Amino acid sequence: MPRIPLSWLGEHVELADGANAEAVAASLVSVGLEEEGIFGAQVTGPLVVGRVLNLVKETHKNGKTVNWCRVDVGPEHNDDKDNPKDPQPGDEVPSRGIICGAHNFVEGDLVVVSLPGTVLPGNFEIAARKTYGHVSDGMICSTEELGLGEDTEDGIIVLGKGIAEGIEAKPGDDAIALFGLDEEVVEINVTPDRGYCFSMRGVAREYSHATGRAFTDPALAIEVPEATGGGFEVLLEDDAPIRGNVGATSYVAQCVRGVDTSAPSPRWMQQRLTLAGMRPISLIVDVGNYVMLDLGQPLHMFDAAKLTAPIVVRRAKEGEKLATLDDKTRKLHVEDLVVADSTGGHGARAVALAGVMGGSETEVDENTADVVIEAAHFDPTTQARTARRHKLVSEAGKRGERGVDPELVEVAAYRAAQLLVEYGGGTLDSARTHARAGESAPVEIALPLDYAERVVGVDYTRDQVVGSLEKIGCTVTAGKDDGEGETLAVLPPTWRGDLRIPEDLVEEIARLEGYDAIPSRLPSAPGGRGLTRAQRSRRAVANALAEAGATEVVSFPFTNEKTFSKLRLPEDSPLREAVRLLNPLADDEPLMRTAVLETLLPVAQRNLARGEDAVAVFELGLVFEKRGERVPVPSAASRPSDAELEEIATSLAKQDRHVALVAGGPITPTGPLTEARAWDWADAISFARRVAAAAGTELALEQGESSAFHPGRTAILSTVEGLRVGVAGELHPAVIKAFGLPKHAAAFELNLEAVIDSAPDVVPSEPISTFPIAKEDFAFVVDEGTPAEAVRAALIVGIGDVAEEVRLFDEYRGDQVAEGKKSLAFAVRLRPQDKTLKGAEIDEIRARAIKAVASAVGGELRA
């Protein structure tokens, strides 16, 4: 995101009277450049230049050596010599005592001192404080502390050296003005279609559009003389254009000889680069960055002595490698565009990834004398693909892939050469090479005069339409009126490569005439029946789980093979057959999830790792079933055929909506008279039943097994028709350990769409009986392997229609039942619709129930 120092912006456009950062940001917002941040004066208070008078090194108990200094900060700020705040070494002269831990300065050096009352970046206020046995009455500052960039190994700022090279001052001078720390900066967000705004030139033009203030194009102020001949030979050879676009349409090579690489960048340039968010490095690098930020044209500097003519711009060869400036050796792809020289043969050696990053073999260093400046217009698609393929993000790449002005290459190269000559003592080579290939000129667009009105809904006049287009640099020619209205011929400027179709022009007209002029018309809602049944059911499910104490979360649906192993999925499990993304958001998560638990369990783990004692989270989300190895990509030249569309549809992953929940840890904390109860398998089953009830149906349960769940504490969930729709229970101990969950953590996952589909369209209401309830309890001794649900079903059959509720409330194994047996106790509520049950009728119902259980599962009534 570009940072725009107001003083720099003011060189190219007249700023409004009294304009500050907020006013400039508001003007830019009005033309579609979103404000990202505003940086006012970075430092306030007494920040001054000081001279170190005395320096005593003191080693303390912690082993650290600090400097106890007396610093002359000018008559206005010095202590009275007769009443110093702290004893001082050496001659007692007016000064301040300051403790400093840096060691890159000596007595006599000029430094930057923040006195008590100074506020540094980050709202860090300086005050006098006692430290290391002295009162430190201020602070000697480093570059990072002043917001001028990261500290170097040198430490604090010493005037005349490093970042303060060439600065002359005396004790007491205002360092805020000296270093431009009172400068205001606006940071903006630039949309991908407006790459020209990655430059002061482009932003100044937009500010002019917003305010009507005079704009001076800095590119027009640079008069490029005719070249006296061909310079460093350049050949553009692209035998594999992408979509018919050659890799480079324009390439300038300008040589500057005898550059003093040890010469410092001018202070004003370093200051501007720092304010714009770039760290000053060296004269040659800084000149390239400055011209790029000012004009928008990326540059690259080669050491001429390390190049062998001719330079050849070509596609990379199979298996070719390049060591880039970030000290990495990269294996190139045949689509990569490289700049090559002829070391080892014609175009044999790649020396740069075109427009993305240079190579280390030809970089400038302290021994460089002759510099070849590269300014080129490369294919944006090629640049973008190369940058993403190699995961290289650079300032040059950001601009190149969004499109730069193809007519700017000679101007930018010559401007950089001028600066190198002026500040590096070089000699400009009058011979210059400008190689061209392919087409980069804008294409004329036919725009019906009333088209903007038809698209936007605002009655724009002819003057507004033509005036807006001419304001952005278009050449507008009046067209003929064919009886249906006038059609304009519009030729976009070279810096607006994003203007290709009439709609692009309409967008510019609407933007410059003001979005606030577009009327707001609320569309009338068509007649309908509100939410669909599925939407109502999903909302009801989410509400039911939240009301039961769980928290809804949303996770990214991406996972990896390690998660499958953590869930103990067998190697042949269909859940391992996941859709693999070609361009995942994260390299370690390239797969689409096949179950919601695959991404929900890490969410639970993360919450517990952040200090939570317990967790109960759920998610309604899509899962993806692989149906093809790869989705075919049809040509963009024409509409895909029906057969191609069918192939795409059958290759895309099948998506079902699931609901899953993970719960573990104490539900309530231990109290004075109560023990904490933790979430367990029964709660997971209860949550699953709540889901079914919210969807208007019921679930059938049976004991079963699932790889991620505890054997013996797992319920297989099915619809009443017998379709398996999910699983619930306690997680397997290995899964609990793998995800760092509390002991006995439980979970469930359901195919929510199948559950909703199993519900009847209309849920019948249950009549409310006005007669009293009869309550009975049953305890049956059954085999260990008999499911409680089977006993419950037998009870319901035996009791008949008067059974209002049959609920399991106890399960017992122990001395009072035989080995291999268990006792299941049920609470039964009996209530007919038409009468009060008598004692004899209850006895008869009880006998039928006992007989039904004995017949169905061999259960015996426990004595």
Side-chain angles (χ1 to χ4, degrees):
M1 289 173 281
R3 291 189 175 190
I4 313 299
L6 263 58
S7 61
W8 195 348
L9 182 69
E11 280 195 0
H12 303 328
V13 64
E14 178 189 3
L15 298 181
D17 296 338
N20 57 16
E22 290 187 1
V24 170
S27 297
L28 294 177
V29 167
S30 70
V31 288
L33 294 177
E34 179 184 354
E35 169 199 325
E36 193 68 29
I38 291 178
F39 304 92
Q42 299 180 62
V43 179
T44 59
L47 186 78
V48 299
V49 174
R51 185 180 300 279
V52 180
L53 301 178
N54 299 101
L55 183 153
V56 177
K57 294 187 179 295
E58 298 179 350
T59 302
H60 293 265
K61 293 179 181 179
N62 61 3
K64 183 174 181 180
T65 299
V66 299
N67 299 311
W68 168 231
C69 309
R70 296 302 303 188
V71 184
D72 176 10
V73 289
E76 183 181 348
H77 304 289
N78 283 329
D79 284 347
D80 186 344
K81 70 175 181 178
D82 297 322
N83 297 289
K85 292 182 179 178
D86 204 308
Q88 54 186 335
D91 296 333
E92 294 186 353
V93 295
S95 58
R96 292 215 183 194
I98 299 175
I99 287 287
C100 183
H103 299 282
N104 65 305
F105 64 100
V106 296
E107 292 178 356
D109 278 346
L110 286 171
V111 295
V112 178
V113 180
S114 56
L115 300 176
T118 304
V119 180
L120 299 180
N123 200 29
F124 180 60
E125 186 172 355
I126 301 301
R129 64 189 182 94
K130 190 166 185 178
T131 180
Y132 292 105
H134 300 280
V135 174
S136 185
D137 201 19
M139 184 176 76
I140 301 175
C141 299
S142 69
T143 55
E144 186 171 15
E145 288 159 346
L146 295 183
L148 295 173
E150 296 181 1
D151 283 345
T152 65
E153 60 183 13
D154 295 334
I156 64 156
I157 299 171
V158 176
L159 271 64
K161 301 178 182 178
I163 191 173
E165 183 81 32
I167 294 181
E168 297 181 0
K170 64 182 185 299
D173 284 355
D174 181 12
I176 291 178
L178 202 62
F179 284 88
L181 298 174
D182 54 350
E183 176 78 78
E184 289 188 301
V185 177
V186 177
E187 186 175 44
I188 59 174
N189 189 9
V190 178
T191 53
D193 60 330
R194 299 174 70 186
Y196 64 96
C197 287
F198 273 91
S199 68
M200 301 300 161
R201 178 195 188 209
V203 176
R205 182 180 279 110
E206 290 300 315
Y207 181 80
S208 173
H209 297 340
T211 61
R213 295 280 173 159
F215 165 69
T216 302
D217 190 342
L220 298 180
I222 302 168
E223 295 184 7
V224 183
E226 290 289 333
T228 60
F232 211 98
E233 186 181 2
V234 177
L235 301 173
L236 307 182
E237 300 177 354
D238 185 0
D239 55 1
I242 295 179
R243 299 177 182 173
N245 297 320
V246 296
T249 58
S250 183
Y251 190 106
V252 168
Q254 172 71 64
C255 191
V256 181
R257 303 188 183 279
V259 178
D260 180 7
T261 55
S262 65
S265 304
R267 175 63 199 149
W268 64 266
M269 185 182 294
Q270 293 187 40
Q271 185 173 320
R272 284 189 170 180
L273 291 175
T274 300
L275 291 170
M278 300 190 79
R279 183 169 64 90
I281 297 174
S282 66
L283 175 64
I284 294 176
V285 175
D286 293 351
V287 164
N289 287 336
Y290 174 77
V291 173
M292 176 182 68
L293 292 176
D294 194 40
L295 301 180
Q297 171 64 51
L299 302 174
H300 184 69
M301 310 289 190
F302 293 106
D303 186 333
K306 300 176 183 178
L307 284 177
T308 302
I311 290 175
V312 179
V313 182
R314 58 170 174 79
R315 299 288 171 178
K317 302 171 185 176
E318 187 71 42
E320 190 170 11
K321 295 182 179 180
L322 171 65
T324 47
L325 290 174
D326 57 357
D327 297 324
K328 293 183 179 179
T329 299
R330 303 179 183 278
K331 184 177 180 180
L332 305 183
H333 188 275
V334 292
E335 278 192 0
D336 291 335
L337 190 72
V338 299
V339 179
D341 77 342
S342 296
T343 300
H346 178 81
R349 180 181 64 159
V351 295
L353 278 172
V356 179
M357 184 171 285
S360 59
E361 292 187 47
T362 55
E363 68 176 317
V364 297
D365 55 31
E366 65 276 6
N367 299 316
T368 298
D370 300 339
V371 177
V372 174
I373 303 172
E374 169 198 279
H377 184 262
F378 298 115
D379 174 41
T381 301
T382 296
Q383 283 186 256
R385 289 187 180 183
T386 296
R388 283 153 182 74
R389 187 180 296 119
H390 296 286
K391 296 180 175 59
L392 275 174
V393 179
S394 65
E395 292 298 323
K398 289 178 185 177
R399 290 158 176 79
E401 67 184 48
R402 288 166 172 80
V404 295
D405 186 351
E407 297 301 313
L408 204 60
V409 287
E410 276 197 304
V411 171
Y414 187 73
R415 175 58 175 154
Q418 283 181 317
L419 291 170
L420 288 180
V421 169
E422 181 177 356
Y423 296 104
T427 302
L428 183 65
D429 194 334
S430 59
R432 181 174 60 252
T433 302
H434 189 175
R436 294 179 176 86
E439 293 292 333
S440 59
V443 178
E444 192 174 78
I445 304 170
L447 178 71
L449 184 60
D450 64 345
Y451 192 60
E453 177 185 347
R454 286 187 275 136
V455 172
V456 181
V458 176
D459 185 14
Y460 295 117
T461 65
R462 188 182 193 282
D463 288 344
Q464 286 176 309
V465 171
V466 175
S468 295
L469 296 176
E470 289 180 341
K471 187 184 291 185
I472 63 173
C474 294
T475 301
V476 183
T477 305
K480 295 181 179 180
D481 188 341
D482 57 3
E484 296 183 1
E486 183 182 1
T487 298
L488 304 174
V490 182
L491 183 66
T494 56
W495 61 84
R496 291 302 303 269
D498 59 303
L499 303 180
R500 299 184 179 92
I501 57 177
E503 286 75 11
D504 295 333
L505 302 177
V506 170
E507 183 180 355
E508 294 299 300
I509 296 167
R511 180 172 69 88
L512 295 183
E513 291 300 321
Y515 294 126
D516 54 346
I518 302 174
S520 298
R521 296 173 185 160
L522 191 65
S524 301
R529 302 170 65 181
L531 299 176
T532 65
R533 175 171 171 253
Q535 289 171 326
R536 292 195 304 271
S537 296
R538 290 198 293 269
R539 292 191 180 187
V541 166
N543 289 337
L545 291 175
E547 290 166 359
T551 300
E552 185 173 11
V553 298
V554 178
S555 61
F556 284 120
F558 311 121
T559 188
N560 54 40
E561 288 88 349
K562 291 182 180 179
T563 303
F564 297 153
S565 299
K566 287 182 178 180
L567 287 170
R568 304 179 66 253
L569 294 181
E571 291 298 326
D572 59 350
S573 171
L575 294 180
R576 284 183 177 269
E577 292 295 320
V579 175
R580 182 175 293 274
L581 299 174
L582 292 177
N583 188 24
L585 289 179
D587 289 339
D588 59 344
E589 292 182 335
L591 305 178
M592 302 296 288
R593 68 185 175 194
T594 54
V596 174
L597 282 177
E598 294 165 7
T599 57
L600 186 59
L601 282 166
V603 170
Q605 180 182 22
R606 192 174 303 113
N607 278 272
L608 291 164
R610 298 297 186 272
E612 292 293 329
D613 296 324
V615 65
V617 292
F618 73 94
E619 179 176 1
L620 282 72
L622 295 173
V623 299
F624 304 84
E625 179 186 337
K626 185 177 180 181
R627 293 198 297 184
E629 286 302 319
R630 187 163 182 167
V631 178
V633 180
S635 169
S638 61
R639 179 188 180 280
S641 66
D642 291 342
E644 287 177 317
L645 293 174
E646 178 64 25
E647 185 182 5
I648 293 171
T650 56
S651 300
L652 287 171
K654 181 177 182 292
Q655 301 180 35
D656 288 322
R657 194 175 301 275
H658 282 205
V659 58
L661 175 141
V662 177
I667 300 174
T668 55
T670 301
L673 301 176
T674 59
E675 292 292 331
R677 188 182 83 79
W679 298 104
D680 60 18
W681 63 269
D683 294 303
I685 293 174
S686 176
F687 276 125
R689 281 179 160 158
R690 281 179 177 270
V691 169
T697 187
E698 292 184 0
L699 294 175
L701 282 71
E702 62 176 327
Q703 190 173 15
E705 292 186 0
S706 183
S707 58
F709 288 80
H710 191 297
R713 299 175 191 170
T714 303
I716 303 302
L717 310 175
S718 305
T719 64
V720 291
E721 293 84 8
L723 174 65
R724 176 171 172 169
V725 291
V727 61
E730 181 178 319
L731 290 167
H732 194 283
V735 175
I736 291 174
K737 181 179 179 181
F739 288 98
L741 303 179
K743 290 183 179 180
H744 309 298
F748 81 80
E749 178 153 350
L750 283 169
N751 184 329
L752 185 56
E753 292 182 2
V755 172
I756 294 173
D757 290 343
S758 71
D761 292 336
V762 178
V763 179
S765 60
E766 294 288 342
I768 300 174
S769 175
T770 59
F771 295 95
I773 294 173
K775 297 182 179 179
E776 291 289 325
D777 290 344
F778 296 87
F780 292 100
V781 177
V782 296
D783 291 337
E784 176 69 41
T786 302
E789 187 67 20
V791 180
R792 179 176 176 274
L795 277 172
I796 293 173
V797 171
I799 294 170
D801 293 340
V802 296
E804 184 175 86
E805 180 184 22
V806 179
R807 176 175 57 84
L808 175 70
F809 71 87
D810 185 52
E811 182 175 342
Y812 174 77
R813 297 172 181 82
D815 297 339
Q816 298 181 29
V817 297
E819 186 176 351
K821 300 285 186 178
K822 63 182 177 181
S823 172
L824 300 175
F826 294 85
V828 177
R829 293 162 62 99
L830 307 173
R831 176 151 53 182
Q833 295 292 327
D834 56 352
K835 62 180 179 178
T836 300
L837 289 174
K838 297 178 179 180
E841 292 174 315
I842 294 174
D843 291 341
E844 181 183 351
I845 292 171
R846 185 178 179 85
R848 290 203 312 266
I850 295 170
K851 183 178 180 181
V853 172
S855 174
V857 297
E860 296 180 358
L861 190 66
R862 183 178 169 190

